[in-house]
Amino acid sequence: MIRFEQVSKTYPGGQQALRQVSFHITPGEMAFLTGHSGAGKSTLLKLISIMERPTVGKVLINGHDLNHIQRRQIPYIRRDIGMIFQSHQLLMDKSVFDNVALPLIIEGYSHKEIGKRVSTVLERVGLADKARSLPIALSGGEQQRVGIARAVVNKPPLLLADEPTGNLDPKLSMEIIKLFEDFNQAGVAVLIATHDLGLIARMRYRTLTLKKGQMITDGLTEDWPGDLDEPVI
Amino acid sequence: MSLLFKGRSQGAERTSISATQRLMMFFVSHVRQALASLGELWRSPGASMMTIAVLGLSITLPSTLYILLKNTERVSAGWEQASEITLFLHRDTQPADIQQLVTRLSVWPEIDSLTHIDKNQAMQEFKEISGFGDALNYLDQNPLPDVILVTPTSKHTSPTAAGVLLDKLRNEREVEVGQLDIQWLERLHGLVAIAKELVTVVALLLFLAVVLIIGNTIRLNILNKRDEILVMKLVGATDAFIQRPFLYTGFWYGLLGGLMAWVTVALLLWWMEDSINQVAQLYQTQFNLSGLQGEALLIMLALSVCLGLAGSLLSVYKHIRAIEPK
Ligand SMILES: Nc1ncnc2c1ncn2[C@@H]1O[C@H](COP(=O)(O)OP(=O)(O)O)[C@@H](O)[C@H]1O
Ligand SMILES: [Mg+2]
């Protein structure tokens, strides 16, 4: 599903964010991406959604080399990838319904179809009664669920989440992760970047760890030794 | 179709609808977006009116000048038709030869009509009008020549064509002198040509200004919606989709500005009508000012819409590309 081949990314300022990173995530897999702040997690996700381009190496989705994707094709790539951000990236002057409907409007769905799909997905994230509210009137956890609803409303085969639980307490964080598990069980590949090691430690998922731009571990959380703060191989 | 996942269709393709239904949906969505853009203008009436007024007034000036010019041309065209060539014949030309000359000339395609003024008849008239009376009887022969007045056909009334005709007439054996008072016509034509160029230059400069002003207004709109555009790009909106409402805004600016120019021009002409009629009376002509109607009106509206669209296209092309999620 996602394959990195010897990918390095150096930002224009000379900051090396990723160094020769290689890994493969299979279709329908759920994995975490972790590491300290500044380790390169966001950069890695941005290479998948083509918000950045690799300096060296190849990123492939479903066997397609993203280096060959032209600028004008990028929007169509993003329609296959549901993206969730720590800052939600919601439109604050539009209702929850309109926010979630946005990807469907962009893809030209009919009015009827949009209504049906948005209701279904809001039901799934537990916000059926908040459709007419403005995001500002929602709690942090609810806002994040609006973001998730928007990411999955057009049923993409791949979900990327960058610090989706960043501002939430452990209980709310767990609820959000449960949501991701639901979608994963429906066959969606999920990659979640988080520096919240406590959260991942309680689960049994494949975890990729970055340190200063290098991939230092790739394995199941339960294989980690006791010191979770600085996982070693 | 998805580029990455074979068999995964994107968007409306997924629902199986007929081609006509899809076409309908395409139009419905365009109409909806156009109305949404109009609604957006309505929500900030002050700023919108200002932009529309700038556009409208900028088009009013060249339109009014154009109308005045067109009317001048129309009037002077009437004068030109009266342009006549006067041929003075050799004094010793016999009446039979004159008759022959008139017959010959009357079949020339350039000539509309001929009038022969007999020298004796002219002398008689001169006696009566001048009051010299019998004094003229002491002349031993009539000093006046026979004269032929030539009116060219409408195609040959322009200064150059009439000049060519004059040269041709001068070559006739019986003609001693040929005259065409075309200097004032040439001057008028020269003035009108300069005025035309001036109007064109002024119009082009104003149009350029309008395009830049609309472009700048749309640029501010785009920057105001920066966050929204970023989010739309994140969820897979194409530049074309994001551009559309801004292009519609430009379209509305153009259309409303054009309508405003139409009204303003009509008001201006109505206001100027009296003074124009006074001038017309001095020239003893009946003169109706023709305003913007039919084709000219449509052309002006189309031009105005084009200017609005050009401004927004310029802006949209530059600034929407530049907003990229990082
Ligand atoms: N747009 C950018 N320009 C320059 N340097 C950047 C940019 N984005 C990130 N970086 C740098 O790249 C490194 C990795 O950043 P990032 O991928 O955001 O890490 P993380 O998400 O793990 O905190 C950091 O040192 C950061 O300062
Ligand atoms: Mg980050």
Side-chain angles (χ1 to χ4, degrees), chain A residues 79-155:
Chain A
R79 293 176 191 186
D80 289 329
I81 304 172
M83 282 188 280
I84 292 132
F85 311 88
Q86 177 175 2
S87 53
H88 316 310
Q89 302 281 11
L90 300 178
L91 301 176
M92 286 303 168
D93 57 346
K94 299 248 158 69
S95 70
V96 166
F97 184 96
D98 289 346
N99 266 284
V100 176
L102 189 61
L104 302 180
I105 294 171
I106 285 168
E107 288 188 40
Y109 279 88
S110 71
H111 230 55
K112 214 174 86 195
E113 186 80 358
I114 290 174
K116 222 164 59 191
R117 280 173 178 259
V118 173
S119 311
T120 312
V121 78
L122 283 180
E123 191 85 44
R124 255 188 100 187
V125 300
L127 289 173
D129 53 333
K130 295 278 165 67
R132 293 287 145 216
S133 316
L134 288 180
I136 215 92
L138 303 183
S139 71
E142 286 170 332
Q143 286 186 16
Q144 192 55 280
R145 280 186 278 157
V146 176
I148 294 171
R150 185 184 65 192
V152 301
V153 73
N154 65 347
K155 304 190 175 152

Side-chain angles (χ1 to χ4, degrees), chain A residues 1 21 35 61-62 84 111 113 138 141 146 179 185 193 218 226 231:
Chain A
M1 174 63 79
V21 172
I61 300 183
N62 201 29
I84 292 132
H111 230 55
E113 186 80 358
L138 303 183
V146 176
L179 261 179
Q185 251 131 51
D218 178 356

Side-chain angles (χ1 to χ4, degrees), chain B residues 2-15:
Chain B
S2 161
L3 292 172
L4 299 177
F5 299 92
K6 250 211 176 107
R8 172 178 142 80
S9 44
Q10 282 182 340
E13 308 159 340
R14 198 171 343 195
T15 43

Side-chain angles (χ1 to χ4, degrees), chain B residues 260-284:
Chain B
M260 173 167 172
W262 179 34
V263 172
T264 320
V265 168
L267 284 175
L268 268 178
L269 293 183
W270 171 76
W271 187 58
M272 283 166 47
E273 203 169 19
D274 272 352
S275 47
I276 288 176
N277 275 338
Q278 273 172 19
V279 173
Q281 260 164 19
L282 288 181
Y283 285 86
Q284 298 184 327

Side-chain angles (χ1 to χ4, degrees), chain B residues 17 52 61 67 72 100 108 134 136 147 187 190 192 220 222 232-233 239 259 293 296 321:
Chain B
I17 51 172
I52 291 167
L61 180 59
I67 287 171
T72 312
Q100 245 185 356
W108 284 21
D134 292 341
L136 292 173
V147 171
R187 280 191 199 131
V192 169
L220 292 178
I222 291 173
M232 300 227 290
K233 288 205 171 183
D239 284 358
L259 288 174
Q293 295 141 342
R321 271 177 85 88

Side-chain angles (χ1 to χ4, degrees), chain A residues 38 41-43 162-163:
Chain A
K41 305 183 292 293
S42 298
T43 302
D162 195 357
E163 310 279 2

